[in-house]
Amino acid sequence: MYFDSHAHYNDERFNGDRETLLPALYEQHQVTCIMNVGYDLESSRQAVMLARKYPFVYASAGIHPHDAESIQEGDYACIEELLREDKVKAIGETGLDYHYDNSPRQLQKQAFDNHLRLAEKWNMPVIIHERDATWDVLDLLKTYHGEGVFHCFSGSVETAKQVLDMGLYLSFAGPVTFKNARRQQETAAYVPKDRFLIETDCPYMAPEPFRGRRNDSSFVYLMAEKIARLKGISKEEAAALSMANAKRLFRIE
Ligand code: NI
């Protein structure tokens, strides 16, 4: 059984088959838990609606760093309204993205900091997106006293050590399966058994051998297989460990 710790079934690429795909993931693909992640207000609301509809789907609420520039006064109050829902288990995704720089960096930092303060206030884990911004993300996290996960982690063992020292989890997505991904694979081999999650980040980031296709949670087993090989454990153990870790982090019974 698998916990896909980062998926976006609120994405329009699932508009055509969401209602058949989600039950099939549970019934045919052993995907028994999904964290459906919000990336703006509308997608966070959709994540909550999906979580209400499907018992095995949970939700997060937050605004992606890409959209930091468009955050309005009052948006954080709307997020807090969603956090009251039983099945909203995390805040995010939030963080910094200096690869695309879709929003000015200063506004990204402000938005990330605001999400961290919400996570502390609501005592909820935060889902962190970081791209080409490791130093600034780690710097802002120095003031954070809470839990969380770096999603789609692609950093080195050195960076992983700093993240783990903060008590945070690392989540591995499709890139860990790519042939040239030596750095991610070294980190996945290194991460302690009680601190890693697996995810698809669907519809993006399809793993080998499905790169370029629309991704979905039926491929999450490929991350379990890859990490199992890197750690010298069975696929079942990797799946069970990542399931237990995700449930602990998101406080799911
Ligand atoms: Ni995402």
Side-chain angles (χ1 to χ4, degrees), residues 11 78 87 113 155 204 216:
D11 190 282
C78 294
K87 289 185 77 190
D113 196 58
Y204 314 103
D216 70 61

Side-chain angles (χ1 to χ4, degrees), residues 6 8 37 64 93 129 151 199 201 204:
H6 195 111
H8 299 291
V37 178
H64 197 283
E93 58 184 288
H129 170 104
H151 110 84
E199 62 167 283
D201 197 18
Y204 314 103

Side-chain angles (χ1 to χ4, degrees), residues 88-103:
V88 174
K89 300 293 190 187
I91 291 168
E93 58 184 288
T94 180
L96 302 176
D97 192 315
Y98 295 173
H99 181 77
Y100 288 106
D101 273 329
N102 285 354
S103 283

Side-chain angles (χ1 to χ4, degrees), residues 6 8 13 100 129-131 151-154 172-178 184 199-208 210-216 219 222-223:
H6 195 111
H8 299 291
R13 289 172 72 186
Y100 288 106
H129 170 104
E130 179 271 311
R131 199 147 173 214
H151 110 84
C152 197
F153 189 76
S154 61
F172 295 92
V176 79
T177 68
F178 297 171
Q184 280 99 326
E199 62 167 283
T200 57
D201 197 18
C202 65
Y204 314 103
M205 292 281 169
E208 289 286 0
F210 301 109
R211 283 180 83 170
R213 275 182 51 174
R214 186 189 75 170
N215 196 4
D216 70 61
F219 295 150
L222 289 162
M223 272 58 82

Side-chain angles (χ1 to χ4, degrees), residues 30 60 127 132 163 185 211 237 251:
Q30 291 82 49
S60 78
I127 298 173
D132 297 348
V163 173
Q185 291 166 6
R211 283 180 83 170
E237 188 180 0
R251 295 177 208 153

Side-chain angles (χ1 to χ4, degrees), residues 126-183:
V126 70
I127 298 173
I128 300 163
H129 170 104
E130 179 271 311
R131 199 147 173 214
D132 297 348
T134 312
W135 179 259
D136 279 359
V137 165
L138 291 176
D139 194 50
L140 281 163
L141 283 171
K142 281 180 190 151
T143 65
Y144 176 59
H145 304 287
E147 298 178 302
V149 56
F150 264 66
H151 110 84
C152 197
F153 189 76
S154 61
S156 64
V157 168
E158 272 317 303
T159 305
K161 282 179 181 167
Q162 294 183 61
V163 173
L164 292 164
D165 281 347
M166 292 174 166
L168 304 174
Y169 289 74
L170 307 181
S171 179
F172 295 92
V176 79
T177 68
F178 297 171
K179 287 186 181 66
N180 57 358
R182 222 188 69 196
R183 191 179 54 189

